[in-house]
């Protein structure tokens, strides 16, 4: 050995390399024996190249490393260069050969390296074979388990460390606090907090930051704030931990307040803080302030940070700016699940249902894993589209997926089928579910309500009580909706008062249902008195229900009063002005109709265009009033003319009262027969075999004339025609409608 140490320069390197090559075969054998002795997984060394020791020795010579005079530096270099468990085996074998296998420093290096390579079992064997491990080795194994997501094992090792009488240091606590946070073991965290005091680390900001993050993740944000307030020297991590805690625990305003304090202290934000602040602005729906954060992100050059791209996508999607959100989504080469969910749910919640479904289908095509959020967002989008074929496709997908037994997903499927026109399919899913909760019962009751099946809804409510499931506020919304769509005034009134029996306080929606119930029954005076005696201030839905009833019964003065309230509460909603205009038209008050139209122009309001779509062979065909853009337009209008002749022969009389008074009878008649739902019906008749059920969706409430006409058409054509308008479903068959002309 001394001879080697006395040789310098190239001569030394040649001798060292010869020595290394001579030992290579021995190393192979020792590494294999070492693996067997430690019961490590077998490694096929033929497929994994060993270190090129000639090159490594040359590198180390330049860096003045020598395996004999400075073994710690030499082997640390080798460990840091290791990219495979076989390399660690070789290094470990050399340590045995040189008698260095009891070096706490080098074994700790090996253990950390094994953890970084994901070989924590190898690291645990190293730990178990080492006599009397120091705190550094304990920290290494705890860190390894924590980094591999094996949090329970990390805590178990900490308990073993305590039993061994080894005192933790400031590097021990952050890892066990992280493990405790991930397992949401609050009591364990409290115990660790006590030990932090006992070992004198209450002033260590590194440890205290771990405590803040722990309490925040366990939902104990007040305790996190207490630790934060006790810190004299706060770092960016201190601020980040508390701000993130507030944002993640549903306290966006507190998160924003702490962020303001942080900026006043001239602490510059990092990307982690900005992610939390964007989440807070998303929760409070503050588009302008969120945009200012976006500007800061660009200013400090963090616009390519993946987590910020996800946050910006979520922020703009939830604030309704889905086009901007999509630009961020498209910037990601491989969007992760969170990003897909943000985009799909953003589309679904902002009226872009088709885009949501298209993106979901793209996700499936790419074999990207979905989760509960993805699936429920896609189901919601299908519900909005209203296509039964699409709903069936989604139902088939769910049945083949891991979510087929998920009660929340099954509830969403029930809601989807009901909104897509098939209450029977919804009931089928309901009946196939054994463990029904109140949400599922309520979804089925609401589904019956949408289709005007009040008695079925009430019967299901009684079964729900017999099953010992207490109703909630949504249950009663479904029941009251079913009653007012079926004219069951007595039953609806009783159900409203039964809410108190279950300790449920009526909300605006319940009061609006009762006003609607009374109004549709013609009891406008009682509806007005009910509003005046309400314990809460009437809102838009309540006055809107009263105005709608006044339109049905042509009660102008009360309708004007309701409209005045609506204009004050919701001055930019075009629907209120249109409803009042229609009331005036029904009463033939044409001057007032003109006044409302002038008022709308002055306020920059335009009437929403009505449209209807029908699904034929899985494709949606959309029509507007008088629409002649369809490729089969000539055939459609020929069919309309035939229908009009047959309707007159059957005794149908058009309802022309609400059409502009300055048109002659024939012009009024032509306008009415060219409504979008009539065009959709005509297209359905020429595109499907006789007897096929037609399914049509209209974005507005069905007009009286079209409702009457479609009743006649269902009889003379021998078809069932299902129309979903803005309020409910109408099932037309044999000349009658399921609503009983009560809508």
């Amino acid at each position: 050995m001394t001879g080697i140490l006395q040789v310098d320069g190239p001569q030394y390197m040649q001798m060292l390399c010869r020595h290394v090559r001579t030992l290579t075969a021995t190393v192979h054998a020792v590494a294999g024996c070492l693996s067997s002795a430690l019961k490590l997984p077998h490694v096929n060394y033929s497929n994994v190249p060993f270190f090129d020791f000639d090159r490594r020795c040359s590198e180390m010579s330049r860096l003045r490393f020598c395996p004999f005079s400075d073994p710690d530096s030499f082997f640390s270099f080798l460990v840091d260069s290791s990219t495979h468990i076989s390399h660690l085996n070789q290094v470990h074998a050399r340590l045995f050969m040189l008698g260095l296998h009891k070096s706490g420093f080098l074994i700790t290096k090996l253990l950390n390296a094994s953890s970084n390579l994901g070989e924590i079992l190898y690291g645990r064997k190293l730990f178990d074979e080492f006599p009397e491990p120091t705190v550094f080795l304990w920290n290494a194994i705890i860190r390894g388990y924590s980094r591999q997501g094996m949090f329970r094992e990390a805590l178990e090792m900490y308990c073993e460390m305590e039993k061994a009488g080894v005192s933790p240091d400031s590097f021990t606590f952050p890892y066990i606090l992280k493990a405790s946070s991930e397992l949401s073991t609050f009591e364990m965290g409290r115990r660790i907090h006590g030990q932090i005091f006992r070992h004198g680390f209450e002033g260590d900001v590194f440890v205290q930051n771990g405590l803040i993050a722990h309490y925040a993740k366990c939902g104990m944000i007040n305790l996190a704030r207490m630790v934060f307030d006790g810190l004299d020297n706060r770092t960016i991590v201190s601020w980040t931990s508390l701000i993130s805690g507030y944002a993640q625990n549903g306290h966006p305003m507190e998160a924003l307040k702490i962020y303001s304090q942080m900026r006043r202290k001239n602490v510059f934000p990092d990307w982690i803080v900005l992610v939390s602040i964007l989440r807070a602005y998303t929760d409070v729906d503050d588009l302008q302030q969120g945009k200012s954060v976006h500007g800061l992100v660009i200013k400090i050059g963090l616009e390519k940070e993946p987590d910020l791209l996800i946050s910006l996508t979520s922020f703009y999607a939830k604030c309704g700016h889905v086009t901007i959100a999509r630009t961020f989504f498209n910037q990601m080469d491989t969007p992760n699940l969170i990003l897909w969910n943000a985009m799909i749910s953003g589309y679904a919640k902002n009226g872009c249902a088709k885009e949501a479904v298209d993106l979901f289908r793209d996700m499936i095509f790419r074999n990207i894993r979905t989760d509960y959020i993805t699936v429920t967002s896609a189901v919601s989008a299908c519900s909005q589209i209203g296509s039964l074929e699409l709903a069936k496709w989604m139902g088939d997908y769910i049945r083949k997926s891991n979510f087929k037994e998920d009660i929340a997903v099954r509830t969403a499927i029930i809601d989807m089928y009901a909104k897509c026109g098939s209450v029977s399919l919804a009931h089928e899913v309901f009946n196939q579910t054994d463990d029904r909760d109140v949400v599922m019962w309520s979804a089925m009751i609401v589904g019956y309500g949408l289709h005007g099946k009040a008695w079925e809804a009430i019967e299901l409510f009684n079964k729900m009580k017999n099953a010992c499931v207490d109703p909630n506020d949504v249950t009663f919304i479904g029941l009251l909706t079913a009653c007012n769509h079926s004219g069951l005034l007595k039953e609806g009134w009783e159900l409203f008062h039964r809410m108190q029996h279950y300790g449920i306080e009526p909300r605006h929606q319940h009061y609006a249902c009762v006003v609607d119930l009374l109004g549709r029954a013609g009891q406008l005076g009682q509806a007005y008195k009910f509003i005046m005696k309400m314990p809460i201030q009437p809102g838009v839905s309540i006055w809107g229900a009263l105005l709608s009833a006044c339109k049905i019964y042509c009660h102008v003065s009360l309708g004007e009063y309701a409209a005045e309230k609506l204009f004050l509460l919701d001055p930019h909603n075009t629907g209120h002005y249109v409803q009042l205009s229609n009331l005036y038209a029904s009463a033939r008050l044409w001057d007032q109709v003109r006044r409302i139209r002038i008022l709308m122009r002055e306020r920059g309001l335009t009437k929403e265009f009505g449209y209807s779509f029908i699904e034929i062979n899985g494709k949606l065909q959309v029509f507007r009033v008088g629409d002649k853009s369809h490729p089969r337009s000539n055939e459609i209008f020929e069919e309309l003319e035939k229908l009009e002749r047959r309707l007159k022969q059957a005794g149908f009389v058009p309802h022309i009262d609400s059409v502009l008074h300055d048109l002659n009878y024939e012009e009024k008649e032509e306008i009415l027969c060219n409504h979008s739902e009539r065009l959709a019906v005509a297209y359905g008749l020429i595109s499907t075999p006789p007897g096929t059920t037609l399914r049509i969706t209209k974005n507005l409430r069905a007009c009286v004339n079209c409702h009457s006409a479609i009743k006649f058409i269902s009889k003379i054509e021998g078809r069932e025609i299902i129309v979903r308008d803005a309020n409910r479903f109408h099932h037309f068959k044999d000349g009658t409608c399921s609503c009983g002309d009560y809508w």
Side-chain angles (χ1 to χ4, degrees), residues 185-427:
T185 52
F186 171 67
E187 286 306 319
M188 182 65 176
R190 289 291 295 270
R191 177 181 154 199
I192 296 167
H193 193 174
Q195 290 173 3
I196 288 170
F197 271 90
R198 185 160 63 87
H199 290 286
F201 294 108
E202 65 274 11
D204 189 305
V205 68
F206 186 56
V207 174
Q208 296 300 305
N209 287 342
L211 267 176
I212 295 170
H214 165 76
Y215 283 132
K217 193 145 193 179
C218 289
M220 307 302 292
I221 195 65
N222 291 334
L223 290 175
R225 180 61 181 271
M226 180 188 72
V227 176
F228 176 84
D229 289 341
L231 282 175
D232 295 324
N233 183 26
R234 295 168 185 153
T235 65
I236 181 63
V237 178
S238 313
W239 293 97
T240 299
S241 299
L242 188 63
I243 290 169
S244 301
Y246 274 126
Q248 291 165 6
N249 283 284
H251 301 286
M253 295 308 298
E254 287 300 319
L256 296 173
K257 286 177 185 176
I258 299 296
Y259 177 66
S260 297
Q261 290 178 29
M262 180 184 116
R263 295 310 305 271
R264 286 197 295 270
K265 297 279 187 182
N266 293 320
V267 179
F268 200 73
D270 61 6
W271 66 267
I272 301 173
V273 170
L274 295 177
V275 165
S276 297
I277 292 305
L278 278 170
R279 176 173 182 164
Y281 281 130
T282 302
D283 290 344
V284 299
D285 200 21
D286 193 332
L287 180 63
Q288 291 308 313
Q289 289 299 321
K291 283 183 174 180
S292 70
V293 175
H294 183 190
L296 179 61
V297 168
I298 295 170
K299 184 178 178 180
I300 59 182
L302 292 173
E303 63 269 28
K304 297 298 181 182
E305 174 62 44
D307 283 356
L308 277 170
L309 280 175
I310 293 170
S311 297
L312 285 166
T313 303
S314 299
F315 168 71
Y316 282 112
K318 288 180 181 176
C319 288
H321 290 248
V322 289
T323 304
I324 299 174
R326 187 60 186 263
T327 62
F328 291 112
F329 179 86
N330 291 339
Q331 287 179 37
M332 297 287 284
D333 294 330
T334 53
N336 64 14
L337 181 59
I338 297 172
L339 206 59
W340 284 96
N341 286 347
M343 201 65 245
I344 292 172
S345 64
Y347 275 137
K349 291 173 183 175
N350 288 284
C352 301
K354 181 180 181 300
E355 289 82 355
V357 172
D358 288 345
L359 198 59
F360 178 71
R361 281 181 155 167
D362 185 31
M363 194 176 181
I364 293 172
F365 178 76
R366 297 191 196 187
N367 290 320
I368 296 171
R369 180 181 65 87
T370 60
D371 67 3
Y372 165 79
I373 297 172
T374 328
V375 169
T376 51
S377 297
V379 170
S380 171
C382 292
S383 302
Q384 294 172 44
I385 292 172
S387 162
L388 186 59
E389 288 303 312
L390 182 61
K392 288 178 179 178
W393 172 83
M394 179 58 74
D396 288 340
Y397 170 80
I398 297 296
R399 275 192 293 274
K400 297 171 186 174
S401 75
N402 295 329
F403 305 101
K404 59 185 177 183
E405 300 301 329
D406 188 297
I407 190 166
V409 173
R410 293 178 74 84
T411 300
I413 291 290
I414 289 170
D415 179 69
M416 176 188 70
Y417 278 137
K419 288 179 178 174
C420 290
S422 181
V423 75
S424 59
L425 283 176
H427 196 254

Side-chain angles (χ1 to χ4, degrees), residues 165 295 553:
Y553 292 98

Side-chain angles (χ1 to χ4, degrees), residues 384-388 611-616 619-624 676-677 680-681 683 695-699 722 724:
Q384 294 172 44
I385 292 172
S387 162
L388 186 59
Y611 64 84
S612 299
F613 62 79
I614 183 170
E615 184 178 14
I616 303 292
K619 292 184 178 180
L620 298 177
Q621 305 288 334
V622 184
F623 298 92
R624 295 186 182 275
S676 62
E677 54 265 59
V681 168
Y683 177 73
R695 299 178 184 276
I696 296 164
T697 300
K698 183 178 173 67
N699 67 322
I722 301 172
R724 172 188 175 183

Side-chain angles (χ1 to χ4, degrees), residues 108 110-124 127 136-155 157 171-172 175-176 178-179:
T108 300
L110 273 173
L111 202 161
N112 282 328
S114 68
S115 168
N116 293 337
L117 292 174
E119 300 287 350
I120 190 62
L121 294 179
Y122 183 98
R124 179 59 187 268
F127 178 86
F136 305 108
L137 204 56
W138 283 102
N139 286 347
I141 190 64
I142 290 170
R143 168 186 173 272
Y145 277 131
S146 185
R147 291 190 65 181
Q148 296 299 317
M150 301 170 72
F151 303 113
R152 199 168 300 282
E153 289 81 355
L155 292 178
M157 288 306 294
F171 294 98
T172 313
Y175 293 118
I176 58 172
K178 179 186 177 184

Side-chain angles (χ1 to χ4, degrees), residues 454 458 478-488 491-492 495 517 742:
I458 293 171
L479 289 166
L480 292 170
T481 300
C483 289
N484 68 37
H485 281 167
S486 302
L488 301 184
E491 289 77 8
L495 284 165
L517 183 65
Y742 198 86

